Amino acid sequence: MANTGKRKGRRERPDLTFGGVWDYAPAPESTDHVDVAERYGLFVGGAWARPRSGKYFATMNPANGRKLSDVAYAGGKDVDAAVAAAKKALPGWSRLSGDDRARYLYRVARVLQERAREFAVLETLDNGKPIKETRDVDVPLAAQHFFYHAGWADKLDMLFPGQDVQPVGVVGQVIPWNFPLLMAAWKIAPALAAGNTVVIKPAETSPLTALRLCEVFMQAGLPAGVVNVVTGDGKTGRSLVTHPGVDKVAFTGSTEVGKEIQRAVAGRGVDLTLELGGKAAHLVFEDAALDQAVEGVVRGIFFNQGHVCCAGSRLLVQEGVHDVFVRKLKRRMGRIRVGDPLDKNTDMGAIHSREQLQRIRELVDAGVQEGATLYQPECELPRGGYWFAPTLFTGVSQTQRIVREEIFGPVLSVSTFRTPEEAVAKANDTSYGLSAGIWTDKGARILWMAARMRAGVVWNNTFNRFDAASPFGGFQESGFGREGGRQGLRAYVRLGAGLLPG
Ligand code: NAP
Ligand code: MG
């Protein structure tokens, strides 16, 4: 276990001192677990920098509403400096052999593993998700993304045989708050493997793990300017994605902002990938192993408080088992432990922000007003911070807002279907198309259904399983382009004329 300010001298910290601003005096509330600086700067050109904007903003712990740290606000000039640093680093980085780039990425992955506990605690503090998840999912998967892409860095010729493989250039990346470290790894690792340099903007409400990742880059000796981190708000994101020095934009976030970005880059010759929202159908057939399906459905919607773009938020149960399934599901929901995200027994942590809590409440109220039946197990929610109980709606219809809109919270709606054809029709009756899930005992049915579902990922007899080797992405309003797997690397290269004769 790597960690904490309490065990001084165990691990050498990179020198982060900059004009006396960075002291690692821990913020009062987090001293037990991980040291959090009172203030963070921007990471530009391999060093910490004060923001030219002169502004800072606070990031909070959603479990108690208290401030964790002040973080630099990147204005337009800061984004200019970060893009310039990435441009300067590009020739050196892109001319390194794939083997050399791989060494850096392997080093990053290993340091991340060594410091896993520290990252898990920090992510839980800044985001509100349970430590069980940051420890077992977010941090290991983030490391896996660096390992996986390190493996490709010297094999791009094999991935695109006979073609001249070149990096795209400077990549501007914007990520959301629901998987802050994982999204950063997901975006940065393939970009670097293919020889690009990066400017990344984390979400305003969860910037701390992306900033700590910069320490890992320093520890791994990553050359200056290869990755730059600009913290800020939506305006910072806009400055980045519209910056003339950026050759490719990769965005994960809401459909609304995704559309705005698409308009902003249109006609500028900038490559774009968009990973946006979702409203996944989760189907349970009569022949499914129902107890396992209950576990899958619970994981599908209550994992990460439902702040998951691919969450299985629309449950469709075959008519004959609807009543028994809902009974089992309610009983299981009663055993979900909601509370202190740092407690390793907690299943569901805090809602990420006040705004998100308001949105969840608004949609749940709309569900009740539109006539759906609400169920919440008895559960005592902590005081302070932002909390919402696991919620189930039965008696829903396809037209209700809770069925059509992405809630991005722990709210599941249930309806029924009779035939596989009807299941497909209902599952596809959405403007999104990111993911779906099917529980059935019949292999042939899985294949039949999966071929007809308009969703980028279709899980069978499991849900919310992720792997760096598996491409992820959507259709329709869920965006375009794939991330992860061989397909994900395509977005980070330009392919030239064939190198092979003929
Ligand atoms: P969001 O409001 O779209 O924000 C996403 C990121 O974009 C944040 O860093 C945000 O900055 C930034 N941003 C806001 N306005 C911008 C603009 N005009 N130009 C450029 N950047 C801008 O989404 P969110 O509420 O943070 O995240 C939740 C959404 O993300 C959900 O809809 C979810 O489905 C989606 N999501 C999708 C995937 C996927 O892979 N498909 C994965 C995770 C999440 P600030 O935070 O500083 O405002
Ligand atoms: Mg926070």
Side-chain angles (χ1 to χ4, degrees), residues 58-62 66 68 123 125-128 204-208 352:
T59 187
M60 325 287 290
N61 178 346
R66 280 192 243 136
L68 285 165
E123 191 78 307
L125 285 171
D126 201 17
N127 173 280
E204 182 180 6
T205 49
S206 59
L208 295 185
H352 180 66

Side-chain angles (χ1 to χ4, degrees), residues 136-146 182 185-186 466-468:
D136 297 345
V137 181
D138 299 63
V139 180
L141 263 180
Q144 193 205 17
H145 272 269
F146 283 102
L182 183 56
W186 194 316
F466 306 98
D467 193 289

Side-chain angles (χ1 to χ4, degrees), residues 151-229:
W152 278 122
D154 61 349
K155 299 174 194 69
L156 294 172
D157 290 349
M158 285 182 228
L159 198 51
F160 307 105
Q163 305 194 63
D164 176 28
V165 186
Q166 296 294 332
V168 181
V170 173
V171 182
Q173 305 180 323
V174 179
I175 55 174
W177 46 259
N178 58 341
F179 292 93
L181 175 69
L182 183 56
M183 287 295 125
W186 194 316
K187 291 263 184 292
I188 293 170
L192 298 196
N196 304 278
T197 56
V198 166
V199 180
I200 188 165
K201 193 205 88 71
E204 182 180 6
T205 49
S206 59
L208 295 185
T209 45
L211 290 167
R212 183 117 350 173
L213 194 55
C214 300
E215 291 185 19
V216 174
F217 295 144
M218 288 166 122
Q219 229 177 311
L222 193 72
V226 170
V227 178
N228 306 273
V229 177

Side-chain angles (χ1 to χ4, degrees), residues 354-403:
R354 188 191 302 275
E355 293 71 31
Q356 193 55 33
L357 184 58
Q358 271 162 2
R359 164 137 183 100
I360 295 167
R361 283 186 177 146
E362 181 198 319
L363 278 156
V364 167
D365 288 349
V368 173
Q369 274 159 26
E370 289 180 339
T373 306
L374 172 90
Y375 170 78
Q376 290 175 324
E378 273 195 28
C379 86
E380 202 179 319
L381 299 179
R383 274 190 253 144
Y386 316 118
W387 305 92
F388 203 82
T391 299
L392 180 70
F393 275 112
T394 50
V396 301
S397 72
Q398 288 289 107
T399 53
Q400 287 168 352
R401 282 184 72 194
I402 49 169
V403 177

Side-chain angles (χ1 to χ4, degrees), residues 76-87:
K77 289 209 167 74
D78 296 301
V79 173
D80 287 346
V83 173
K87 212 164 199 76

Side-chain angles (χ1 to χ4, degrees), residues 60-74:
M60 325 287 290
N61 178 346
N64 57 24
R66 280 192 243 136
K67 180 166 111 174
L68 285 165
S69 198
D70 283 317
V71 177
Y73 178 86

